[in-house]
Amino acid sequence: MSAKIIDGKALSLSVRENLKSEAARFEKKYGRKVGLAVIKVGDNPASEVYVRNKIKACEDVGVKSFSYNLPGSASESELSELIVALNGDANVDGVLVQLPLPKGINEKKMLALISPEKDADGFHAVNAGGLMLGLPCTKPCTPAGIIELIKSTGVPIAGKSAVVIGRSNIVGKPAAMLLLSEHATVTICHSKTVGLKSYTENADIIVAAVGIKEFVKGDMIKDGAIVIDVGMNRDDGKLYGDVAFAEASEKASYITPVPGGVGPMTVTMLIKNTIESAFRCKEN
Ligand code: NAP
């Protein structure tokens, strides 16, 4: 079997078309643009690229971005004061703190300070709890994008056996929870899983969020499976996924490429979250 590529760039562009009209509808109704504040601390080169992409996505869709660049020497109290000020800013609907933060700043503490209503990344405990309980909440961007990518194949998720490799709070766990809410039967695997292949080779859907270059090999994949590669592993200036793409493509029915799969959808879901937060705040 030669897998069909799930084109995250193309899907992302079509979702952005809808977001453009939603952003315009908000502006018309409430007399201002939806606003997203993006905070970067220090000069991590990867963060620079991610922040640039997020700001560009805002521009594409008609969302106003507010960019804050704190020096690497910024203190925890400087960052917390900024977050609290943005929580109270009526022109800001979403607040995002780009991770990782420099050593000496407690990430968990900073993320907890973002108002759950403005938590564009969906990392706050209130939103994580909402996801668990099936309550209206802001969903983490990468897992939300993963679900859209799978749905774009037209293959129903309900009843499928899904294996998520990775249990991080930002990808693995919420991706598993979203697949469960779509009625898949979900297994979460991690570094202590014994006999990983025995799980993956029976899975209809594999989500690889491991952070190890080409970790998932072709012989770990069931014929016809849908394979979603979340990995972003830089090596020799090139970007590699967590899946050995060529051999996996021989087994899978659908597969996401790296780059051009999950990445573009993550940024688009961030903008979607911000627009939804803006409407929710006005209408609830
Ligand atoms: P993470 O926090 O490092 O989590 C990695 C997970 O993989 C952990 O749960 C770990 O298990 C598990 N793992 C490690 N070695 C394993 C092994 N040998 N067998 C099975 N499981 C193993 O990473 P993350 O933040 O979830 O990110 C995962 C990957 O996705 C990274 O490459 C990251 O760059 C990428 N990413 C991409 C996007 C995007 O937009 N495309 C967004 C976020 C992340 P333990 O829990 O037992 O340690």
Side-chain angles (χ1 to χ4, degrees):
M1 177 171 287
S2 188
K4 291 190 183 129
I5 306 288
I6 310 176
D7 185 342
K9 255 184 164 169
L11 180 61
S12 165
L13 286 177
S14 89
V15 174
R16 283 187 197 185
E17 282 308 309
N18 292 337
L19 295 180
K20 266 184 205 169
S21 20
E22 281 302 279
R25 187 165 73 82
F26 183 91
E27 189 173 358
K28 193 167 174 211
K29 193 163 178 189
Y30 298 108
R32 68 162 176 87
K33 284 187 188 292
V34 173
L36 174 67
V38 181
I39 306 173
K40 182 170 69 64
V41 188
D43 47 15
N44 178 319
S47 294
E48 306 260 354
V49 175
Y50 297 143
V51 164
R52 226 180 11 248
N53 288 343
K54 289 168 188 178
I55 289 172
K56 184 178 175 303
C58 285
E59 283 164 9
D60 286 353
V61 169
V63 165
K64 187 169 171 51
S65 61
F66 301 89
S67 193
Y68 297 88
N69 298 309
L70 300 188
S73 58
S75 66
E76 212 171 82
S77 62
E78 278 173 87
L79 178 56
S80 41
E81 274 167 32
L82 177 58
I83 294 171
V84 170
L86 292 169
N87 283 343
D89 186 331
N91 290 314
V92 170
D93 304 288
V95 177
L96 176 151
V97 177
Q98 184 63 47
L99 303 179
L101 291 171
K103 285 194 179 77
I105 300 190
N106 183 327
E107 279 184 5
K108 281 190 183 148
K109 205 167 132 192
M110 295 301 107
L111 295 181
L113 280 177
I114 299 173
S115 150
E117 289 77 25
K118 294 192 178 186
D119 172 31
D121 263 333
F123 292 163
H124 194 284
V126 167
N127 286 314
L131 185 61
M132 188 79 185
L133 299 178
L135 299 172
C137 62
T138 302
K139 299 175 180 76
C141 307
T142 302
I146 290 170
I147 298 296
E148 295 303 318
L149 288 160
I150 299 172
K151 284 187 173 172
S152 76
T153 66
V155 177
I157 299 176
K160 296 291 188 302
S161 150
V163 167
V164 178
I165 318 175
R167 56 174 164 178
S168 71
N169 289 335
I170 61 169
V171 188
K173 273 190 224 165
M177 208 45 65
L178 286 176
L179 284 162
L180 185 62
S181 66
E182 296 289 338
H183 312 293
T185 302
V186 184
T187 305
I188 305 176
C189 296
H190 47 77
S191 69
K192 306 289 186 291
T193 297
V194 176
L196 177 66
K197 189 177 167 212
S198 67
Y199 296 96
T200 58
E201 69 188 3
N202 290 306
D204 303 310
I205 299 170
I206 297 176
V207 174
V210 194
I212 301 175
K213 176 184 163 186
E214 299 181 341
F215 177 81
V216 177
K217 309 291 183 205
D219 67 355
M220 296 166 73
I221 299 170
K222 177 177 159 179
D223 275 323
I226 296 176
V227 177
I228 305 294
D229 189 349
V230 186
M232 292 208 307
N233 309 294
R234 277 169 222 283
D235 191 10
D236 282 342
K238 265 188 78 182
L239 197 60
Y240 295 86
D242 285 347
V243 176
F245 184 82
E247 48 188 90
S249 298
E250 293 302 313
K251 302 289 288 294
S253 57
Y254 291 92
I255 188 166
T256 57
V258 177
V262 173
M265 282 303 285
T266 295
V267 182
T268 297
M269 292 296 111
L270 171 75
I271 309 300
K272 182 168 185 263
N273 280 350
T274 307
I275 296 173
E276 285 178 356
S277 294
F279 276 111
R280 211 179 297 132
C281 196
K282 291 283 186 194
E283 289 169 0
N284 287 341

